[in-house]
């Protein structure tokens, strides 16, 4: 029998994505970690550090389970965009992303019986040039709340994406191919009870 699976995230998007590939966590136990980037920290290192930090907190509470943690980072060059908690932050993010290419970096970490495996997935995304009306309308939708970079690609922001290369599910919140492979390597294949 497979070990129980604990998802170290409160994100409804991550749960929906896991269910899409037949994975139902036994328990959801979000990690409460400080998500402040370190001075000079680059986006790739930050995504992996955050996924591992979340994993460590939750794995300590569930030593007899497979624990899955993840973090999504939207980056323009070396700049890490915040999770938008205010309309001003979301507007600034959308303004920065308008007409530009950016990266979504997904850090995924899995632990079981003292073993840890991690992956970093990078997806390139380009937004069309956004006018003020488009930004105002998007902000009015409220979809941006709590989203890295101030947008949800699975919602209205899909109309802004002129180019995407890599994992679409990574941009939504969890790279499914890599996550399934990591879980399988830990003896927790997709669809396991």
């Amino acid at each position: 029998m497979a070990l129980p699976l604990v998802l170290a995230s409160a994100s409804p998007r991550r749960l929906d994505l896991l269910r899409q590939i037949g994975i139902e966590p036994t328990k959801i136990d979000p990690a409460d970690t400080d998500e402040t980037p370190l001075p000079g920290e680059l986006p790739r290192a930050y995504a992996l550090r955050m996924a591992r930090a979340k994993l460590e907190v939750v794995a300590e509470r569930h030593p007899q389970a497979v624990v899955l943690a993840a973090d999504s980072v939207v980056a323009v060059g070396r700049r890490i965009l915040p999770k938008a908690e205010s309309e001003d932050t979301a507007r600034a993010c959308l303004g920065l992303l308008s007409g530009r290419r950016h990266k979504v970096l997904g850090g995924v970490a899995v632990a079981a019986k003292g073993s840890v495996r991690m992956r970093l997935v990078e997806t390139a995304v380009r937004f069309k040039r956004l006018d003020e009306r488009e930004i105002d309308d998007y902000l009015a939708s409220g979809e941006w709340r709590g989203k890295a970079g101030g947008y949800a690609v699975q919602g209205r922001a899909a109309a802004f994406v002129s180019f995407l290369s890599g994992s679409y599910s990574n941009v939504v919140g969890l790279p499914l191919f890599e996550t399934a492979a990591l879980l399988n390597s830990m003896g927790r294949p997709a669809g396991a009870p």
Side-chain angles (χ1 to χ4, degrees):
M1 181 160 163
L3 291 172
L5 174 64
V6 178
L7 176 60
S9 174
S11 166
R13 290 164 306 285
R14 288 197 180 111
L15 181 58
D16 288 345
L17 285 165
L18 285 173
R19 287 176 172 160
Q20 181 181 319
I21 59 169
I23 297 174
E24 184 68 42
T26 311
K27 183 176 179 94
I28 295 172
D29 185 7
D32 184 20
T33 55
D34 179 3
E35 297 192 24
T36 307
L38 300 173
E41 188 171 30
L42 296 176
R44 295 171 68 85
Y46 174 72
L48 284 171
R49 181 176 67 83
M50 290 314 310
R52 182 158 194 133
K54 292 174 183 180
L55 181 77
E56 289 172 352
V57 167
V58 177
E60 191 173 303
R61 298 194 291 243
H62 303 279
Q64 299 303 316
V66 175
V67 177
L68 168 64
D71 195 66
S72 299
V73 176
V74 174
V76 175
R78 299 165 58 102
R79 183 173 178 180
I80 298 168
L81 272 59
K83 284 185 182 161
E85 301 298 343
S86 73
E87 194 171 297
D88 287 343
T89 300
R91 184 179 297 280
C93 288
L94 292 171
L96 187 61
L97 296 172
S98 175
R100 296 179 76 174
R101 190 170 171 154
H102 63 277
K103 292 178 184 172
V104 178
L105 303 161
V108 183
V110 177
K113 298 182 179 177
S115 178
V116 173
R117 295 190 181 147
M118 299 179 61
R119 289 288 302 270
L120 180 72
V121 178
E122 183 176 310
T123 306
V125 182
R126 184 183 310 121
F127 270 20
K128 71 184 202 92
R129 188 161 304 283
L130 304 174
D131 62 37
E132 284 304 311
R133 182 191 52 78
E134 288 172 312
I135 292 174
D136 290 344
D137 289 349
Y138 189 72
L139 294 174
S141 78
E143 268 187 5
W144 52 268
R145 291 186 196 282
K147 306 291 191 308
Y151 76 93
V153 73
Q154 70 276 21
R156 295 175 186 207
F160 303 159
V161 177
S162 63
F163 172 85
L164 189 146
S165 178
S167 170
Y168 172 80
S169 64
N170 183 48
V171 183
V172 178
L174 188 68
L176 291 178
F177 175 82
E178 293 79 6
T179 299
L182 282 172
L183 289 171
N184 191 50
S185 76
M186 292 291 208
R188 195 70 168 65

